[in-house]
Amino acid sequence: MKITKLETFADDFTCFTRVSCEDGSFGWGQCANYNADITAQIFHRQIAPWALGAPCDDIAALLDLIERREHKYPGSYRARAMAGLDTALWDLHGRQQGKPVVALLGGTPGPLRAYASSMKRDITPEAEAERLNRLCGEQGFTAAKFRIGAECGNDIDEWPGRSEAIIPTMARALPQIDKLVDANSGFSPARAIQIGHLLQEHGICHFEEPTPYWDLEATAEVTAALDLDVAGGEQDWHLPTWARMIAMRAVDIVQPDVMYMGGITRTLQVAKMAASAGLPCTPHAANLSLVTLCTMHLLKALPNAGKYLELSIEGADYYPWQNDLFCGTPFQVEAGCVTVPDAPGWGVEINPDHLARSHYTASTFGQTPSAYAALYHKAK
């Protein structure tokens, strides 16, 4: 069965994709969030020409073809666009077979433990402790993550002394749950190790992206110096970089992002590399778009799945664009768990009202290629 149509529904923040085959079957996917309108253009210019007319059954082979044909354009944007194809094809396969994607991956639907993930730094330690304590009580979370340092802050905190203040505050407020922190590349190795010892003293179990993520040696230095788990990799899409990161034990936990990686298929490659090295995989999923739903299916199937799903607790004040993306409530929390659905594909439908507000573009098999493609691309 061949792919006949590729559609995008995009705005600045979100780009949903729909793949259709010649028998009328279809699947929904998503490109990575942020500057998603740019990613949609790349999807139609550099992904669609190779996917249209290709068989839809072997996702890995099709992605490999696209990577080879677009070898002059490796990088984050190509991977972000490929995610729109990959995730839509997984949904299509699930719908065709009447199975959830988790079953296609070898897992089972059902409850999945989540941790409450704060995205805020412009919040006092006391206010953060109050809201996380309240949410854990209301929704039964047994783990929560808060932010320290400043994003790519070069040792300059969000405000002076905030990290040193929030760590003991959270430890006192949430004594019975797993506590995680994210530094978002905020520290030098020396400062990260200093903060890491403070984290250990207060029972924090997970230290995410302590140093600039692109400096694997710096991250490895921190990992070697601390006893708690150091995690990272959310920004990385390049498989050779992942292989080096894992081989040098730069982190204790790998955190690929399904959408930044280019989809489920390439994320599975990272998870398998990590499994061979004895490392768990706890993917990054920082907003309530399709990235979190895809990660839910993935985690329920991975043999080396980490302890929990990242589940953002932020609402309209932080992520106004994520409101009403889906029909129903796919991220409902009960007793600290979300539920991976047993419906076919991703088990969710995109909200038609959101699609109607989005910029629509379609590529179809046999349409006139771009000037670049017509001049330089040989026939498949």
Side-chain angles (χ1 to χ4, degrees):
M1 201 63 63
K2 294 182 179 180
I3 297 170
T4 57
K5 191 174 186 179
L6 293 168
E7 301 163 275
T8 55
F9 303 79
D11 57 31
D12 288 2
F13 296 98
T14 305
C15 175
F16 286 114
T17 57
R18 183 165 57 191
V19 173
S20 299
C21 290
E22 53 192 337
D23 66 345
S25 59
F26 67 91
W28 285 100
Q30 182 189 301
C31 299
N33 297 108
Y34 311 116
N35 288 331
D37 53 334
I38 298 175
T39 309
Q41 296 179 56
I42 294 168
F43 181 86
H44 289 286
R45 180 68 63 87
Q46 296 184 263
I47 307 301
W50 308 112
L52 290 167
C56 69
D57 59 329
D58 192 336
I59 301 174
L62 180 53
L63 296 185
D64 181 67
L65 170 71
I66 293 168
E67 288 191 294
R68 291 175 182 276
R69 293 294 185 262
E70 295 294 332
H71 64 276
K72 289 183 179 294
Y73 298 94
S76 176
Y77 266 112
R78 190 189 69 184
R80 296 165 82 92
M82 281 173 53
L85 175 64
D86 173 279
T87 53
L89 286 173
W90 279 102
D91 186 55
L92 180 146
H93 288 181
R95 290 171 185 262
Q96 286 176 332
Q97 298 179 41
K99 297 179 179 179
V101 171
V102 64
L104 303 183
L105 295 170
T108 56
L112 174 67
R113 183 188 181 197
Y115 70 80
S117 185
S118 168
M119 305 294 157
K120 291 186 176 181
R121 283 187 169 84
D122 58 342
I123 185 171
T124 66
E126 294 75 20
E128 184 73 295
E130 186 281 326
R131 75 164 182 158
L132 281 172
N133 189 49
R134 174 173 42 82
L135 283 171
C136 289
E138 292 172 351
Q139 301 184 44
F141 288 110
T142 57
K145 186 170 78 179
F146 58 97
R147 306 277 160 163
I148 60 173
E151 189 166 2
C152 295
N154 199 25
D155 286 341
I156 299 173
D157 215 328
E158 191 71 11
W159 61 77
R162 183 181 182 275
S163 293
E164 284 83 355
I166 196 171
I167 292 167
T169 299
M170 297 302 291
R172 289 191 299 269
L174 300 168
Q176 303 302 320
I177 71 166
D178 290 352
K179 291 170 284 293
L180 303 77
V181 300
D182 192 343
N184 291 111
S185 298
F187 302 128
S188 66
R191 174 70 169 148
I193 292 168
Q194 178 188 36
I195 289 290
H197 286 304
L198 183 63
L199 294 170
Q200 290 175 171
E201 291 171 16
H202 287 87
I204 313 299
C205 64
H206 170 114
F207 192 3
E208 188 169 329
E209 214 173 74
T211 57
Y213 74 86
W214 54 89
D215 189 343
L216 296 183
E217 286 73 20
T219 304
E221 182 181 347
V222 176
T223 301
L226 299 175
D227 295 326
L228 84 174
D229 288 332
V230 173
E234 68 181 64
Q235 313 291 351
D236 292 290
W237 61 270
H238 191 222
L239 290 171
T241 298
W242 275 108
R244 189 164 76 89
M245 184 192 310
I246 291 167
M248 68 189 289
R249 313 293 289 202
V251 295
D252 300 303
I253 299 172
V254 300
Q255 294 186 289
D257 182 297
V258 168
M259 298 303 172
Y260 298 164
M261 277 300 307
I264 290 287
T265 307
R266 297 179 85 247
T267 304
L268 282 170
Q269 291 179 260
V270 174
K272 289 176 181 176
M273 282 191 279
S276 296
L279 299 179
C281 179
T282 303
H284 174 255
N287 59 74
L288 301 183
S289 67
L290 200 57
V291 61
T292 295
L293 197 64
C294 293
T295 303
M296 289 161 58
H297 284 258
L298 179 65
L299 272 174
K300 285 285 284 182
L302 287 180
N304 62 323
K307 299 175 183 177
Y308 17 54
L309 167 81
E310 178 175 18
L311 189 71
S312 170
I313 62 171
E314 306 303 348
D317 63 326
Y318 193 90
Y319 287 135
W321 53 266
Q322 75 178 11
N323 286 351
D324 301 321
L325 292 180
F326 305 106
C327 301
T329 54
F331 306 113
Q332 184 74 30
V333 179
E334 294 184 11
C337 294
V338 293
T339 299
V340 179
D342 58 6
W346 299 123
V348 72
E349 297 299 331
I350 315 300
N351 187 342
D353 292 337
H354 173 81
L355 297 176
R357 295 191 298 268
S358 303
H359 178 74
Y360 174 76
T361 308
S363 292
T364 56
F365 184 54
Q367 73 182 42
T368 303
S370 68
Y372 171 81
L375 188 60
Y376 294 114
H377 283 174
K378 296 180 180 178
K380 292 195 288 285

